[in-house]
Amino acid sequence: MFFKKKNNDFAGITYMILCMFFFSINDAFIKHILFVYKDITILGEIIFIRGIFSTVILGLYLYYKKKLNFKVITSKPLHLRGLVESVAAIFFFLGLMYLPFGELYSLMNLAPILITASGAFILGEKVGWRRWTAVICGFFGVLIVIDPNNLKFGFAFIYPLIAAIFITQRDTITRKFLNEFDSLQIVFITSFSVMIFFGFGMFLNYKPINLEIFIYIFLSAFFVTLGYYFSVLTIKAANISTTSPFRYTIIIFGIILGYFIFNEIPSLNMILGSLIIMGSGIFIILRQKKIGIIK
């Protein structure tokens, strides 16, 4: 039994790392397209077309597994989650366009810290001094990443912080109905809702795209779908407390992709601040496991 659990944990960790890798590859394709056009208004069209690919792939898989039904398609909580995800996506992609990968992912990974704080203030959850200390350290790490005395990228740091706030709300909503739906059902409706949301932006500002960009969008959809798939495998293979710390590997992947593809050189402030944010987040996760909040 021990060896089986150990193998499951290893599989879960591997799936989480692959999930973060594929998501970062997807983001790199989107960032490249935004660099080509140098126009954020093309974003609606990009995400709409990507959404068609990923929604169809996920929908066909769910239909094959007989998990695509009327309850899933018409669920108001799932569509509300999709709406919140859409708003988070706007600010995430704004950050993607104007910030290096390292800074973007470091600030985005403030979400576990914000979830702890919002759980105390919004849901009335009891948070001990140890986790409050980790929350404060996490915000201190954010200040180091931002470097208020420099502001090399202006106030663009606000975008991933706002995205992290909406992601926190998304996860808070998800906790209320997580046991009612399969993880992939949640992902499918989220993908569909995001596609429709950005579809309005596309019709308001349509621009023709060439075959090369279309291929990039298709590859983006392929990798984001792989990311979704491995995120589901992660949940099935191991406990959240085991796999969540490895979510921070996306910062490493972001730094590597940023350096080799976009010539982004990470600053000392970014590295130090991200280490503090990572440390705070991992401590919160381990602490939540110890007191029985998560498994």
Side-chain angles (χ1 to χ4, degrees):
M1 187 71 176
F2 171 77
F3 288 107
K4 183 179 180 181
K5 182 182 185 304
K6 190 173 182 180
N7 289 335
N8 285 345
D9 287 346
F10 178 78
I13 291 168
T14 303
Y15 294 150
M16 175 60 81
I17 294 172
L18 287 172
C19 170
M20 294 299 103
F21 174 70
F22 290 129
F23 278 145
S24 64
I25 294 292
N26 157 72
D27 293 338
F29 277 113
I30 299 296
K31 190 178 181 76
H32 174 73
I33 296 169
L34 291 173
F35 270 27
V36 169
Y37 280 91
K38 294 182 174 58
D39 183 3
I40 195 65
T41 60
I42 194 68
L43 186 61
E45 192 170 344
I46 296 169
I47 305 306
F48 177 75
I49 297 172
R50 189 193 71 172
I52 292 174
F53 288 130
S54 57
T55 302
V56 168
I57 293 170
L58 291 166
L60 289 173
Y61 180 82
L62 288 173
Y63 180 79
Y64 173 75
K65 291 289 185 178
K66 294 181 171 51
K67 292 183 178 181
L68 190 61
N69 51 53
F70 185 76
K71 180 184 177 182
V72 173
I73 295 172
T74 60
S75 172
K76 291 181 180 179
L78 288 183
H79 285 289
L80 174 62
R81 182 187 188 275
L83 177 61
V84 175
E85 174 83 13
S86 300
V87 178
I90 291 174
F91 290 102
F92 171 79
F93 287 119
L94 283 169
L96 186 68
M97 182 170 185
Y98 296 113
L99 288 173
F101 264 128
E103 277 84 348
L104 175 69
Y105 286 145
S106 296
L107 297 175
M108 283 292 296
N109 275 283
L110 186 67
I113 297 166
L114 289 175
I115 289 171
T116 300
S118 66
F121 290 116
I122 298 175
L123 302 178
E125 296 176 350
K126 185 178 179 181
V127 177
W129 67 270
R130 294 178 182 85
R131 282 188 289 155
W132 274 124
T133 301
V135 168
I136 293 170
C137 288
F139 285 118
F140 181 66
V142 169
L143 287 176
I144 294 177
V145 171
I146 293 171
D147 191 7
N149 294 323
N150 188 356
L151 289 181
K152 183 178 178 181
F153 301 100
F155 289 94
F157 70 86
I158 294 174
Y159 298 135
L161 292 179
I162 295 175
I165 291 171
F166 277 99
I167 287 173
T168 301
Q169 296 308 309
R170 178 203 67 187
D171 290 345
T172 302
I173 293 170
T174 307
R175 286 162 64 180
K176 296 178 181 179
F177 58 80
L178 187 60
N179 295 326
E180 296 180 31
F181 299 97
D182 182 274
S183 299
L184 215 54
Q185 291 173 326
I186 297 173
V187 170
F188 169 74
I189 294 299
T190 299
S191 177
F192 176 77
S193 299
V194 171
M195 178 189 73
I196 297 300
F197 183 89
F198 279 90
F200 287 109
M202 182 194 73
F203 289 119
L204 289 173
N205 189 45
Y206 174 78
K207 293 182 179 180
I209 57 174
N210 59 38
L211 180 60
E212 181 184 0
I213 298 301
F214 191 83
I215 292 172
Y216 287 148
I217 296 174
F218 173 78
L219 290 171
S220 169
F222 174 74
F223 283 109
V224 78
T225 304
L226 278 178
Y228 287 143
Y229 177 70
F230 279 101
S231 70
V232 173
L233 290 182
T234 299
I235 295 170
K236 290 182 177 180
N239 293 332
I240 294 173
S241 59
T242 302
T243 60
S244 287
F246 294 89
R247 187 180 300 275
Y248 292 97
T249 55
I250 197 169
I251 297 177
I252 299 172
F253 292 134
I255 291 173
I256 294 171
L257 290 171
Y259 181 80
F260 286 103
I261 299 177
F262 301 102
N263 297 316
E264 297 171 354
I265 300 176
S267 66
L268 181 61
N269 275 59
M270 190 283 295
I271 294 173
L272 179 59
S274 64
L275 287 174
I276 293 174
I277 294 171
M278 290 167 61
S280 300
I282 292 171
F283 177 84
I284 287 172
I285 292 166
L286 296 177
R287 183 64 186 167
Q288 286 177 330
K289 179 182 179 181
K290 186 174 182 179
I291 61 181
I293 294 177
I294 59 175
K295 295 180 179 181

